[in-house]
Amino acid sequence: MTEEETGKINKFDCILASARKLIEQEGFSSFTMDKLANNAGVAKGTIYLYFKDKNDVLENVLKSGFQTMFSRMTDKVEKKETPEEKIKTLIYENLLYIGENKYFFKTVFLDEMHVVFLKKTSQESYNLRRRKYAVFISEIIIKGIDEGIFKNLLDPLKAGFYLISLIKTNAIYNFRNNKVEFNEDLIKSEAAEIFDIFIDGIKN
Amino acid sequence: MTEEETGKINKFDCILASARKLIEQEGFSSFTMDKLANNAGVAKGTIYLYFKDKNDVLENVLKSGFQTMFSRMTDKVEKKETPEEKIKTLIYENLLYIGENKYFFKTVFLDEMHVVFLKKTSQESYNLRRRKYAVFISEIIIKGIDEGIFKNLLDPLKAGFYLISLIKTNAIYNFRNNKVEFNEDLIKSEAAEIFDIFIDGIKN
DNA sequence: TTGACTTATGACTATAAAGTCATTATAATA
DNA sequence: TATTATAATGACTTTATAGTCATAAGTCAA
């Protein structure tokens, strides 16, 4: 991708655009400086005139992918009056931004975790396990919908994934805040919190 | 870690236990076969008598980390009657399992995505960006709590992370199911779905 | 005890990819 | 145009680590 092709004026932006494109196409794990040089139409040494090292390239790609999102979102959200409207707007704007940068976010989101270190076939079995879990939850939800307890409006399988993500987020939050000591009471209250938000939402 | 130390009878389990321990301690990115051999107290070649390659080791570590979880959970859940009780039990059992295998899940959950490819300092700035976003959401939620619209019972910052995870999960779900073509109507309905579940929950 | 078979070893090879730097090309200036 | 300064090059060096294999140690039946 030369300067004319990308429409970028300077080499920094040109290399960055190539890096992003490569990452979107092939993911983080197969991203190499040789490929980047080749793809950007410059010599390998040239990259090092504009970026400190590979980490610097990756950091800039991620930065550029996320940077406009936050400012655009806050602009839109702050125009709204009520907390509910603000949250509604935030969700919409966020999904819109993801849609506009779909190839970027597809890689960033799907190139998840350790999965990156596994071969394709192992990744598939890993994802199947997760899916099996979501299916199990979806069956419970379907039963609840049939009984009229749960809303009929949403894809039960997706709801299963939603619940899994809430549980995972809870764990990550506690890990990050060094609440590593799990006692039974703590787990009970955390579980009740997740249950409450999933079943009833945050509304009073 | 020798056989006596791990309490495992055979080399396969001994090597596997060492691998898991190493991964728990240092993460996936710095896990090498040399370290494993050293840590397991066997020669490098010995590992290849019990495992096909590195991928095979990683796959087995992940498998062993997740395998009992699902069967244990289904057992407990199936004893419950109502869908609500089932979901409540599922969340509790899942958190309990994570707690029991905290070092394993800490690594698996925190060693997230592309972040693995970044240097420590870049990872921190990445996490700070995410946190900034969660703080922004938490401020909206706090306002809602003050106004009496939202429940007072939960940590607003955690709620922010919950919402972010719902949005991300929605995107991943659509990416996985190849719904890559985002049109405005689709985004609106997806946004409404997330809003509804976050505000009101899945209960009718 | 011996010889056949199984298991283990670790020095070695192969390879991929990051990062360097002497050389060359291009641009700016006098 | 000649001279200097700046930018670009890509062959080369370095490093890390996965995977191999000739050799050695251990086991066990006859």
Side-chain angles (χ1 to χ4, degrees), chain A residues 133 167 175 182 187, chain B residues 20 61-73 90-105 109:
Chain A
Y133 188 18
I167 294 169
F175 284 137
F182 286 82
I187 291 177
Chain B
R20 175 163 161 155
V61 168
L62 286 168
K63 209 172 112 192
S64 79
F66 283 99
Q67 66 187 358
T68 48
M69 184 172 100
F70 193 67
S71 61
R72 213 176 72 179
M73 194 131 49
L90 184 139
I91 295 168
Y92 175 75
E93 290 297 327
N94 200 333
L95 286 184
L96 194 66
Y97 191 83
I98 291 171
E100 284 170 7
N101 298 274
K102 55 193 171 191
Y103 299 113
F104 174 76
F105 284 104
F109 287 163

Side-chain angles (χ1 to χ4, degrees), chain B residues 126-142:
Chain B
Y126 183 81
N127 290 329
L128 268 180
R129 193 163 41 228
R130 219 202 305 244
R131 191 182 176 83
K132 196 178 147 197
Y133 186 19
V135 167
F136 178 70
I137 297 174
S138 77
E139 283 160 2
I140 300 172
I141 291 173
I142 288 168

Side-chain angles (χ1 to χ4, degrees), chain A:
Chain A
M1 208 186 325
T2 60
E3 293 196 14
E4 300 86 56
E5 283 169 328
T6 57
K8 304 286 174 184
I9 4 79
N10 63 70
K11 281 246 160 64
F12 181 91
D13 288 339
C14 172
I15 293 168
L16 196 63
S18 285
R20 176 164 161 153
K21 200 175 177 184
L22 266 177
I23 287 168
E24 285 174 349
Q25 286 169 347
E26 302 180 27
F28 286 91
S29 51
S30 65
F31 175 76
T32 69
M33 296 301 263
D34 283 287
K35 278 187 190 173
L36 176 56
N38 195 46
N39 205 262
V42 298
K44 203 174 173 184
T46 307
I47 300 171
Y48 288 88
L49 296 174
Y50 296 91
F51 297 88
K52 207 178 125 272
D53 53 19
K54 192 186 176 186
N55 183 74
D56 193 29
V57 176
L58 293 176
E59 198 180 323
N60 272 284
V61 168
L62 285 168
K63 208 172 116 191
S64 79
F66 282 99
Q67 67 186 359
T68 47
M69 185 173 98
F70 193 66
S71 60
R72 213 176 72 180
M73 194 131 48
T74 47
D75 284 355
K76 298 270 185 181
V77 166
E78 269 154 15
K79 283 188 187 114
K80 300 291 172 178
E81 280 301 313
T82 69
E84 286 197 347
E85 274 175 337
K86 279 175 194 280
I87 285 173
K88 192 175 230 159
T89 305
L90 183 138
I91 296 168
Y92 175 75
E93 289 298 326
N94 199 331
L95 286 183
L96 193 66
Y97 191 83
I98 291 171
E100 284 170 8
N101 298 274
K102 55 191 171 191
Y103 299 112
F104 174 77
F105 283 104
K106 189 174 180 180
T107 297
V108 169
F109 286 163
L110 294 187
D111 241 20
E112 236 184 66
M113 304 183 289
H114 51 280
V115 170
V116 168
F117 297 108
L118 297 176
K119 284 185 187 162
K120 271 276 165 326
T121 49
S122 305
Q123 290 185 19
E124 272 157 33
S125 73
Y126 184 82
N127 289 330
L128 268 180
R129 194 163 41 226
R130 218 200 309 243
R131 191 182 176 82
K132 194 177 148 198
Y133 188 18
V135 167
F136 177 70
I137 298 174
S138 76
E139 282 161 3
I140 301 172
I141 291 172
I142 288 168
K143 192 163 164 262
I145 293 171
D146 289 345
E147 292 176 12
I149 305 166
F150 298 151
K151 287 171 189 160
N152 198 10
L153 48 83
L154 89 163
D155 177 350
L157 184 60
K158 205 198 272 174
F161 282 111
Y162 282 147
L163 180 55
I164 293 170
S165 80
L166 290 178
I167 294 169
K168 190 174 158 183
T169 301
N170 178 280
I172 291 173
Y173 187 82
N174 286 329
F175 284 137
R176 280 246 163 79
N177 295 288
N178 294 314
K179 241 192 242 172
V180 190
E181 277 321 311
F182 286 82
N183 61 67
E184 214 158 298
D185 283 340
L186 177 65
I187 291 177
K188 258 188 191 132
S189 76
E190 296 289 317
E193 184 187 283
I194 296 170
F195 177 77
D196 197 52
I197 200 170
F198 186 62
I199 298 293
D200 269 324
I202 66 167
K203 197 153 92 183
N204 223 340

